[in-house]
């Protein structure tokens, strides 16, 4: 094979490499109170944003039971926010958690919505999702 022919072989290989990289999703996965999005499949380094309805003025709060720490890295604490147009004290808002897929494997992201002092009462709601990082 001559040197003039080798660039023709490198071009298709370059396209195949770029196409292979483009098939792995890297944008954030956003879940807004939809367990129907589960189970989740993420790529290493891919962000995950979980937003659930919340109203701490009622005493209820989301308690993280399992944060899938073997496959997810927390990017900070829970952030609570209320809609700008609510304008009412005590109105409901949302809690948001941010994670990043850290390494390949399987994990479980499980949160319960409950009053933390009511230990013998079933949670009012739960969010439970299998997470796979490949």
């Amino acid at each position: 094979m001559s040197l003039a022919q080798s660039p023709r072989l490198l071009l298709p290989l370059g396209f195949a490499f770029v196409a292979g990289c483009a098939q792995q999703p890297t944008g954030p996965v956003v879940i807004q109170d939809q367990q129907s999005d589960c189970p989740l499949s993420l790529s290493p380094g891919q962000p995950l944003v979980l937003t659930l309805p919340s109203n701490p003025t009622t005493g209820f709060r989301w308690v993280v039971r399992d944060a899938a720490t073997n496959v997810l890295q927390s990017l900070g604490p829970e952030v609570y926010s209320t809609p700008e147009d609510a304008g009412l004290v005590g109105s409901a808002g949302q809690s948001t958690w941010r994670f990043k897929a850290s390494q390949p494997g399987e994990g479980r992201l499980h949160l319960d919505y409950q009053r933390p002092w009511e230990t013998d009462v079933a949670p009012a709601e739960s969010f439970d999702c299998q997470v796979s990082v490949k």
Side-chain angles (χ1 to χ4, degrees), residues 5-29:
Q5 292 175 330
S6 61
R8 284 187 257 161
L9 289 176
L10 292 178
L11 188 58
L13 288 174
F15 284 132
F17 178 74
V18 170
C21 292
Q23 292 176 356
Q24 290 186 344
T26 57
V29 172

Side-chain angles (χ1 to χ4, degrees), residues 102-118:
S102 57
Q103 62 187 14
E106 302 282 327
R108 179 179 179 207
L109 185 56
H110 179 195
L111 295 87
D112 287 331
Y113 192 60
Q114 65 185 81
R115 291 183 172 121
W117 63 88
E118 294 180 336

Side-chain angles (χ1 to χ4, degrees), residues 9 30 38 48 50 55 66 90 98 113 115 125 127 130:
L9 289 176
V30 178
C38 296
L48 169 64
L50 172 62
N55 190 349
D66 192 341
R98 297 181 191 288
Y113 192 60
R115 291 183 172 121
E125 292 183 53
F127 178 87
Q130 279 300 121

Side-chain angles (χ1 to χ4, degrees), residues 63-111:
V63 177
V64 178
R65 297 290 178 210
D66 192 341
T69 55
N70 57 322
V71 294
L72 293 178
Q73 174 189 355
S74 174
L75 297 179
E78 168 190 2
V79 175
Y80 176 76
S81 60
T82 56
E84 292 179 23
D85 60 350
L88 300 173
V89 174
S91 62
Q94 58 190 19
S95 293
T96 301
W97 297 263
R98 297 181 191 288
F99 301 94
K100 180 175 79 169
S102 57
Q103 62 187 14
E106 302 282 327
R108 179 179 179 207
L109 185 56
H110 179 195
L111 295 87

